[in-house]
Amino acid sequence: MRIDIITVLPELLDSPLNHSIVKRAKDKGLVEIYVHNLRDFSDDKHLRVDDYAFGGTAGMVIKCEPVFKAIEHLTLQRPYDEIIYTSPDGERLNQHIANTMSLKQNIIILCGHYKGIDHRIRESLITREISIGDYVLTGGELAAAIITDTVVRLIPGVLSDEQSALSDCFQDNLLSPPVYTRPAEFRGMTIPEVLLSGHAAKIADWEFEQSLERTRLLRPDLLEE
Ligand code: ADE
């Protein structure tokens, strides 16, 4: 899989894309991630990529010209399955969207910034708008990092134990069961007996019951879905 991220603040993506599981996936050759600075596609002598909004709305708006140039530069080289724009008014990211996205070959993520982007970009280039939640970030870089992280860990072969993605929280619209590690007793607090039984089927039943119970209690909306 290949992910191209277009941003005015490439530095913001340095750390999330170069550590932990995303780094391991890149090192294993399972994903290629390229971060492009939108300013490199500006014709402006000061490399400006934004301008005042028509109609007097406060705040700066990303211009058409550098974004069209950046996206055309990429799409001329290979086909893209999805051109995503990060925006609070997009569809809310969830595990189902991440699963779907992890099966794609090539995707572009355009990070929003300032007051937004010229609407003509959204109408003619963007195929999907994604929000990471009902709150407003300063820019789309953190959203792009989150989308990338959640998608990359689902690419087959990225996690050392494939099971661990299958048993993820939300994978079946259920929250994860509680987990414990040694010691079995800490400051008088013990762990559920069944986990020490060595009986795989009983443990699986217990985990499922716990998942169901926690989902009922904490996220009943998931069960309604
Ligand atoms: N840009 C600003 N806020 C955002 C959000 N909640 N999700 C995605 N992109 C954003």
Side-chain angles (χ1 to χ4, degrees), residues 27 60 64 73 82 120 127 141 174-175 188 194 199:
D27 292 347
M60 304 300 275
C64 282
H73 168 75
E82 211 77 90
R120 289 165 289 188
T127 60
E141 288 73 18
L174 288 178
L175 302 182
V194 64
H199 195 300

Side-chain angles (χ1 to χ4, degrees), residues 120-211:
R120 289 165 289 188
I121 300 167
R122 296 168 77 166
E123 283 175 338
S124 53
L125 295 178
I126 300 301
T127 60
R128 191 161 200 172
E129 304 199 353
I130 293 185
S131 162
I132 58 160
D134 288 345
Y135 40 82
V136 180
L137 301 164
T138 315
E141 288 73 18
L142 297 178
I146 286 171
I147 295 167
T148 304
D149 187 286
T150 189
V151 168
V152 166
R153 63 191 296 288
L154 293 169
I155 298 172
V158 167
L159 295 182
S160 44
D161 175 6
E162 294 250 4
Q163 268 306 106
S164 59
L166 294 177
S167 61
D168 271 348
C169 205
F170 297 122
Q171 203 63 31
D172 309 308
N173 266 3
L174 288 178
L175 302 182
S176 295
V179 290
Y180 302 89
T181 185
R182 285 180 293 185
E185 186 178 340
F186 177 71
R187 296 189 182 173
M189 293 178 281
T190 54
I191 67 166
E193 276 295 314
V194 64
L195 296 178
L196 298 170
S197 69
H199 195 300
K202 275 191 192 154
I203 293 174
D205 283 350
W206 177 85
E207 286 177 339
F208 180 69
E209 276 307 317
Q210 289 290 316
S211 283

Side-chain angles (χ1 to χ4, degrees), residues 29 43 49 52 71 81 87 100-101 116 123 130 176 186 194 196:
D43 282 339
V49 291
Y52 295 99
I71 290 180
D81 304 296
S87 162
T100 317
M101 212 82 79
E123 283 175 338
I130 293 185
S176 295
F186 177 71
V194 64
L196 298 170

Side-chain angles (χ1 to χ4, degrees), residues 41-53:
F41 298 89
S42 170
D43 282 339
D44 182 273
K45 66 173 186 286
H46 303 294
L47 302 184
R48 276 184 54 180
V49 291
D50 59 351
D51 210 334
Y52 295 99

